[in-house]
């Protein structure tokens, strides 16, 4: 599996390491033509305003809008994919909405259908305010969704690439495998 990692800004290297660990081949994406032939895409954390500006500058916004394989967005990546930005995930999020004191924190999350807690690292994280009808909540923190799936799009408000736990990336790679088998 060749998985693109948007590498215009933010912590793309940690995602690459995680993908490699799981046997996928990460490909850094900085230009639209680099999306060709990829089986999936990761939009990492960083700063969403910077992402939007750079993506527009390079024409990546349109290219990602029409990219068909599964996409994983984390933190700023979740913001970039939401209703108010690229519009690929039917969620509405508030940037930096956890407040100044608790802007960055860690918490054990419950992953749907899994007994083992998942450590969530939240860094000036977006808060999910609205989820559309077709959106599946995969993990919550204090009753609010923090990991959701809208068809082939998976978005997390935390940073699964910053822990040793590979489960979120595994979920994503399962979606990639599923999409590949449908195409075949
Ligand atoms: N606060 C950042 C933003 O609004 C996101 C932070 C992150 O990705 N760690 O874009």
């Amino acid at each position: 599996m060749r998985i693109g990692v948007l590498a215009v800004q933010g912590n793309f290297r940690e995602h690459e390491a995680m993908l490699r660990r799981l046997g996928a081949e990460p490909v850094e994406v900085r230009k639209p033509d680099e999306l060709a032939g990829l089986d999936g895409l990761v939009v990492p954390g960083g700063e969403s305003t910077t992402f939007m500006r750079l993506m527009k500058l390079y024409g990546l916004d349109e290219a990602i809008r029409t990219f068909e394989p599964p996409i994983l967005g984390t933190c700023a990546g979740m913001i970039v994919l939401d209703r108010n930005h690229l519009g690929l995930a039917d969620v509405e999020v508030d940037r930096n909405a956890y407040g100044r004191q608790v802007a960055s924190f860690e918490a054990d999350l419950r992953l749907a259908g899994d007994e083992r807690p998942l450590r969530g690292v939240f860094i000036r994280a977006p808060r999910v305010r609205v989820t559309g009808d077709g959106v599946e909540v995969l993990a919550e923190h204090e009753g609010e969704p923090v990991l959701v799936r809208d068809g082939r799009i998976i978005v997390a408000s935390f940073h699964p690439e910053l822990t040793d736990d590979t489960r979120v990336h595994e979920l994503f790679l399962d979606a990639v495998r599923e999409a590949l088998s449908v195409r075949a």
Side-chain angles (χ1 to χ4, degrees):
M1 286 180 285
R2 297 180 69 239
I3 308 293
V5 183
L6 189 68
V8 293
Q9 195 251 339
N11 50 333
F12 49 90
R13 287 189 188 86
E14 291 80 0
H15 278 287
E16 290 172 21
M18 195 63 125
L19 292 167
R20 243 179 244 119
R21 234 175 104 180
L22 294 172
E25 183 195 336
V27 178
E28 293 189 356
V29 172
R30 296 186 178 82
K31 289 179 290 179
D33 59 2
E34 289 166 341
L35 288 169
L38 295 178
D39 303 316
L41 178 71
V42 176
V43 184
E47 214 284 322
S48 56
T49 311
T50 310
F51 275 129
M52 289 309 294
R53 273 175 184 269
L54 291 174
M55 284 180 4
K56 208 179 172 83
L57 190 69
Y58 302 134
L60 273 165
D61 51 350
E62 269 318 302
I64 293 175
R65 257 195 202 109
T66 55
F67 183 75
E68 286 174 355
I71 305 180
L72 170 67
T74 60
C75 202
M78 173 190 252
I79 302 170
V80 162
L81 296 170
D82 88 345
R83 276 186 190 166
N84 297 318
H85 296 83
L86 295 183
L88 292 173
D90 195 14
V91 296
E92 226 171 280
V93 308
D94 255 359
R95 293 182 60 193
N96 304 322
Y98 279 100
R100 190 175 285 251
Q101 317 85 302
V102 288
S104 301
F105 60 97
E106 291 189 22
D108 279 335
L109 310 171
R110 275 242 333 262
L111 198 56
D114 197 328
E115 288 299 309
R116 292 165 301 151
L118 176 75
R119 193 75 179 157
V121 178
F122 295 79
I123 303 172
R124 294 183 300 284
R127 201 162 186 161
V128 177
R129 297 296 192 192
V130 183
T131 52
D133 284 342
V135 175
E136 193 187 343
V137 177
L138 301 177
E140 289 181 339
H141 172 60
E142 291 179 353
E144 292 182 18
V146 291
L147 175 67
V148 305
R149 177 171 183 169
D150 181 5
R152 67 187 173 99
I153 311 287
I154 298 173
V155 285
S157 48
F158 56 97
H159 285 270
E161 77 286 7
L162 296 184
T163 62
D164 265 348
D165 198 319
T166 54
R167 280 177 286 167
V168 173
H169 288 79
E170 284 173 48
L171 272 173
F172 168 61
L173 292 180
D174 285 346
V176 170
R177 264 181 226 109
E178 219 174 277
L180 283 172
S181 71
V182 170
R183 251 196 283 165

